[in-house]
Amino acid sequence: VERWILARLRHQKFFSLSELNSAISQLLEELKHRPFRKLPGQGRRLFLRLKKAKLRLNASVEDIDYRTSRGLDKALVLQFASCRWIEEHLNLLITGPTGVGKSFLACALGQKACREDYRTQYFRLPRLLQELNIARADGRYGRVLATPARTELLIIDDWGLQPLDDQAGMILEILEDRYNVRSTIVTSQLPVYNWHEAIGDLTLADAILDRLIHNAYQINLKGESMRKRLKTLDLSRPLG
């Protein structure tokens, strides 16, 4: 799949990361409608894992950039890439300012989890809350809630962009079902010590953070936005 995407992008030029991501998303959408019966069993299984994961970015641990100074330790990332922490039902909290690669790192670890045959699912927190609110209104709440609650690795991106307030109870239900039996990655621009206030409801905040933080690793990325440094991407050059 990766080679097919790279071959399709080789002769195109992109002037921003968003343009590149958009092109990749279109190709992934095209793949959904291509037959894969000739794939061997393991390849087909991975394809289905990635399709169900709905990762926001086409990222892999092999493509993580360690040259930029942002407090990312390669040895630590490789430990996470082993997925041992998922086996131990631990969490990972990734914080840092906008544009430093939090979502990329989360999606890269999510893709590696898929390759290791863990059920994985990605959500932006605003979209997850929207889906839960709609499900609550039309009677599908229990069924929709079960998906993020039971997946082996849940990725919640963009935590803390707005207070949870009366929606905090839904997040608590998910984290309660996952506590000590599933793993969760959370990314946020806010430092962890500000999460309590960002949740809004102080009582629910205590319960949510108790289930999320106390068995979690933390990675705090630093530096300026990598998007500011992004130059024209030219994929017309030969690969290799």
Side-chain angles (χ1 to χ4, degrees):
V1 171
E2 292 178 358
R3 290 180 180 178
W4 180 84
I5 291 175
L6 287 173
R8 295 292 296 272
L9 297 176
R10 178 177 296 179
H11 300 294
Q12 299 183 46
K13 292 184 179 181
F14 302 93
F15 296 91
S16 71
L17 186 59
S18 62
E19 288 184 14
L20 175 59
N21 287 336
S22 177
I24 292 173
S25 296
Q26 291 176 14
L27 291 174
L28 289 174
E29 184 67 27
E30 181 180 337
L31 274 176
K32 292 180 182 179
H33 305 289
R34 293 172 64 92
F36 52 83
R37 286 176 295 177
K38 294 182 180 181
L39 286 174
Q42 186 175 3
R44 181 171 183 252
R45 189 178 183 89
L46 175 58
F47 177 85
L48 292 174
R49 282 269 184 258
L50 290 170
K51 182 179 179 181
K52 291 179 180 179
K54 298 180 180 179
L55 298 173
R56 175 181 172 186
L57 301 173
N58 182 34
S60 68
V61 292
E62 292 82 4
D63 292 332
I64 294 175
D65 181 6
Y66 300 99
R67 295 169 298 178
T68 305
S69 178
R70 49 190 174 130
L72 190 58
D73 181 77
K74 184 174 182 179
L76 182 61
V77 171
L78 292 178
Q79 287 184 31
F80 286 121
S82 72
C83 296
R84 175 75 179 274
W85 62 286
I86 300 177
E87 192 68 28
E88 296 174 348
H89 312 309
L90 301 175
N91 300 326
L92 174 60
L93 315 178
I94 306 173
T95 59
T98 183
V100 293
K102 301 183 299 296
S103 297
F104 189 95
L105 177 58
C107 288
L109 293 174
Q111 192 243 34
K112 186 60 164 61
C114 289
R115 286 157 56 185
E116 297 296 328
D117 207 27
Y118 290 99
R119 295 189 307 275
T120 302
Q121 193 155 26
Y122 169 96
F123 290 96
R124 290 187 63 251
L125 181 57
R127 177 64 62 85
L128 174 59
L129 293 173
Q130 181 184 48
E131 291 186 12
L132 290 172
N133 281 319
I134 293 173
R136 175 180 280 175
D138 63 20
R140 296 178 299 114
Y141 183 69
R143 180 153 46 92
V144 173
L145 187 72
T147 301
R150 295 175 182 172
T151 189
E152 290 171 292
L153 175 61
L154 174 65
I155 301 173
I156 304 178
D157 203 0
D158 291 336
W159 177 280
L161 290 182
Q162 58 191 35
L164 291 176
D165 295 326
D166 58 346
Q167 301 175 104
M170 295 188 292
I171 297 301
L172 177 58
E173 285 189 70
I174 293 172
L175 295 178
E176 172 64 27
D177 287 343
R178 300 183 60 77
Y179 184 62
N180 278 341
V181 293
R182 305 282 191 275
S183 293
T184 305
I185 295 178
V186 176
T187 78
S188 178
Q189 295 181 33
L190 297 176
V192 172
Y193 57 77
N194 284 341
W195 288 11
H196 197 280
E197 181 180 352
I199 291 173
D201 186 305
L202 299 184
T203 302
L204 289 177
D206 284 339
I208 288 171
L209 297 183
D210 181 65
R211 290 157 177 78
L212 192 60
I213 292 178
H214 295 156
N215 61 343
Y217 293 99
Q218 296 185 31
I219 295 179
N220 181 32
L221 300 180
K222 304 174 182 178
E224 66 178 22
S225 173
M226 296 180 70
R227 299 188 188 104
K228 292 181 181 179
R229 303 197 198 115
L230 188 66
K231 299 180 180 179
T232 301
L233 297 175
D234 186 353
L235 297 181
S236 62
R237 292 176 297 175
L239 299 175

